[in-house]
Amino acid sequence: MRLSGQILKGRYDGIILLVVLMMLGTGKLNGQLSGWSFDKAYATYRQYYYQPLDKWRSIREGTFSRTGLEDSLRQYTRGKVYKDVICPWWVEDLYRPDVIQARFQRIGYVGYVLDPLTGSPLLTNSWNDSTLFDAAWQNIPVDLVVYCNGADAFDYFLKCDSARLTFLKTVFDPEDGLINKRHFGRRPAGLHFYLPNFSFREKKAFMRFVCAVSMVIDHYCRNEERPYAGDKCWLTFTFSPSARNELDYLSGVLGLADEIHFVTYDEYGLPVATPEVYTYRNDPTSVLYRVYNQFYLFSFFSDVVSDTECCSDIARLSQASYSEHNWKFYLLLDFALVLALIISVLAYNLYSPFYMLVERYRSFIIPVLITLVTEIIIVFLYMVEALSPNELLFSLDEGTHLYLLALPLLFIVLHIGLKMLGGRRELP
């Protein structure tokens, strides 16, 4: 009995070992297809640039011994659903319906590897041999993915005005822009920035860049038509999961973009884990941080483009700000109120007639000061709301917000009412 038990145990151990080896072979032990990250694969295959689809198999298998990828992808993706994937060119030949057994809701194609020195594409192709336009996926949106490797590289790009303008023209130019290139009759449905190494050191520059991209999407106009507005160019930014700690700051980006994702992609462009997806509607950031983020967009000397204006100048839009409501007017009004408060304090201390006037109505000092300070705060909030591309605190469209300016006057009215009810006593 003991011998037979040992034999059975040995058989079970052998079966378990075989299953483990099979799971390792298919990459399912850890729920991942392989141990390579997207960045590592890019560093490995970058030297080959873009190649015809039929050559990538020999490069992967002959040079790097990456064999059996088709069967691994077929088994790993079977029955799964992916909201977003980003197809890299080094496995583009594998993105076929007979290999990818998952259901895609949106596909990104890494068609713009950013050169941070110039803003031009370091690597790009025409997608004309792509399998992404197979008839089985004809109704799935395909986005142009912009990829930049290295935190310092993208920081340099953000600080270079000419590089940012070159990028905008290369992507959005009506004649040659990559977002307008048609591939098998289809043009990219959106623009997807994959920035896995973003440093968050150049926060103001990044917010201004996002604003520039958003301005072109919303306001570029040609022949009285806006080719990118609305859902015609979906704007997405993807960061690594560690960037989740910067969500308070990225809330400002959500006011300009359609979606923000926190996820890591592997060498096949598949998400390693379920992405965290945020939009302006499910943003958990507090109002205080949302107000603070508007000041990354603050630039008193920037050009403004009204919501109804048609602008065909990409260079102008790259430096412009949203101005559905005239935030500069509220800024000047706030400045005037603060100046009035300062002048009043100085006159009270330096100008005798004004001092005597104030002393005669001394009981009104506190209500008037409360009213003036409250008006300054309200006008300040008007300015912040006018800076924001989306509704932040209240709507400025109907004009009902102006009633708030009358609210602080209640302090004075209430004070006068109390004085009348309490009677007036003459001072000895």
Side-chain angles (χ1 to χ4, degrees):
M1 292 293 293
R2 180 178 297 178
L3 180 60
S4 62
Q6 290 178 347
I7 293 174
L8 288 173
K9 183 177 183 298
R11 288 179 178 176
Y12 285 132
D13 289 344
I15 293 173
I16 292 173
L17 179 61
L18 179 61
V19 171
V20 169
L21 291 174
M22 290 176 64
M23 292 176 70
L24 285 172
T26 59
K28 287 191 175 183
L29 186 61
N30 294 319
Q32 297 181 19
L33 197 55
S34 76
W36 279 22
S37 66
F38 187 95
D39 289 348
K40 180 179 178 181
Y42 169 75
T44 302
Y45 295 120
R46 176 184 174 181
Q47 58 184 311
Y48 295 96
Y49 296 95
Y50 283 112
Q51 298 287 339
L53 294 185
D54 57 353
K55 291 193 175 181
W56 277 114
R57 184 186 184 97
S58 61
I59 293 174
R60 292 193 305 265
E61 296 183 356
T63 307
F64 300 100
S65 301
R66 306 286 288 169
T67 58
L69 298 188
E70 290 190 14
D71 291 336
S72 297
L73 274 172
R74 189 176 289 110
Q75 294 181 35
Y76 180 77
T77 60
R78 181 174 288 118
K80 293 188 176 182
V81 177
Y82 293 104
K83 175 177 171 52
D84 277 284
V85 298
I86 54 173
C87 174
W89 61 89
W90 54 80
V91 291
E92 187 180 350
D93 59 308
L94 300 180
Y95 268 65
R96 306 192 309 268
D98 63 307
V99 175
I100 303 293
Q101 300 292 302
R103 182 164 62 88
F104 293 155
Q105 295 179 355
R106 202 172 188 97
I107 303 174
Y109 180 76
V110 188
Y112 199 120
V113 178
L114 182 69
D115 181 352
L117 300 178
T118 65
S120 301
L122 186 66
L123 292 174
T124 189
N125 72 2
S126 62
W127 311 12
N128 287 334
D129 296 325
S130 177
T131 61
L132 299 180
F133 298 95
D134 188 279
W137 295 338
Q138 61 181 348
N139 295 322
I140 298 175
V142 180
D143 296 333
L144 171 64
V145 174
V146 179
Y147 171 71
C148 185
N149 182 261
D152 293 337
F154 197 72
D155 285 347
Y156 182 88
F157 166 75
L158 291 175
K159 291 185 288 187
C160 183
D161 293 341
S162 62
R164 297 199 308 271
L165 180 58
T166 297
F167 170 83
L168 292 173
K169 289 183 176 179
T170 304
V171 171
F172 293 107
D173 182 82
E175 303 296 337
D176 303 316
L178 296 183
I179 204 71
N180 292 311
K181 291 286 186 181
R182 291 192 173 272
H183 314 284
F184 297 96
R186 297 172 60 189
R187 61 179 288 274
L191 191 62
H192 186 157
F193 289 84
Y194 181 38
L195 307 172
N197 311 117
F198 189 59
S199 70
F200 293 96
R201 289 190 295 257
E202 301 292 334
K203 290 187 175 181
K204 184 175 179 62
F206 180 62
M207 196 74 78
R208 290 297 306 172
F209 171 67
V210 177
C211 181
V213 176
S214 181
M215 285 291 296
V216 174
I217 290 175
D218 290 341
H219 291 292
Y220 183 81
C221 185
R222 197 180 191 200
N223 298 326
E224 302 300 324
E225 293 185 3
R226 301 190 182 192
Y228 313 122
D231 295 334
K232 298 176 185 176
C233 186
W234 198 254
L235 182 58
T236 306
F237 287 86
T238 294
F239 305 92
S240 66
S242 61
R244 175 66 172 73
N245 297 327
E246 296 285 350
L247 183 58
D248 287 339
Y249 162 73
L250 291 173
S251 173
V253 176
L254 278 176
L256 300 162
D258 292 297
E259 290 183 346
I260 285 181
H261 298 183
F262 297 108
V263 65
T264 298
Y265 289 100
D266 61 19
E267 65 175 307
Y268 306 95
L270 302 176
V272 173
T274 303
E276 280 191 76
V277 179
Y278 291 93
T279 67
Y280 188 77
R281 296 183 180 277
N282 70 339
D283 180 11
T285 309
S286 66
V287 173
L288 183 62
Y289 277 106
R290 295 190 191 188
V291 171
Y292 178 80
N293 286 330
Q294 302 310 312
F295 290 94
Y296 287 112
L297 300 173
F298 183 87
S299 177
F300 186 77
F301 299 103
S302 65
D303 191 8
V304 291
V305 177
S306 66
D307 187 52
T308 58
E309 183 176 352
C310 183
C311 182
S312 60
D313 187 354
I314 293 179
R316 181 193 172 197
L317 290 172
S318 69
Q319 301 294 328
S321 299
Y322 283 91
S323 183
E324 183 178 357
H325 307 283
N326 194 350
W327 65 267
K328 291 183 179 179
F329 167 77
Y330 295 119
L331 176 64
L332 293 174
L333 179 58
D334 224 14
F335 178 77
L337 291 173
V338 172
L339 187 61
L341 179 61
I342 294 174
I343 291 175
S344 298
V345 173
L346 292 177
Y348 178 80
N349 289 277
L350 300 177
Y351 187 56
S352 297
F354 185 76
Y355 171 81
M356 296 298 293
L357 177 66
V358 171
E359 286 297 314
R360 180 178 301 176
Y361 301 98
R362 186 179 185 85
S363 62
F364 285 92
I365 292 179
I366 299 301
V368 168
L369 285 177
I370 292 176
T371 299
L372 189 57
V373 172
T374 307
E375 297 281 6
I376 291 172
I377 295 173
I378 291 175
V379 174
F380 173 80
L381 294 178
Y382 286 170
M383 184 193 71
V384 172
E385 185 66 55
L387 274 170
S388 175
N390 298 294
E391 187 174 312
L392 189 62
L393 300 171
F394 38 73
S395 175
L396 300 179
D397 292 325
E398 303 297 329
T400 54
H401 64 286
L402 297 176
Y403 293 123
L404 285 174
L405 291 175
L407 185 61
L409 297 177
L410 289 178
F411 290 110
I412 297 178
V413 174
L414 182 62
H415 178 75
I416 294 175
L418 291 175
K419 292 283 287 183
M420 293 177 63
L421 289 175
R424 181 174 180 182
R425 292 189 305 167
E426 294 291 339
L427 293 176

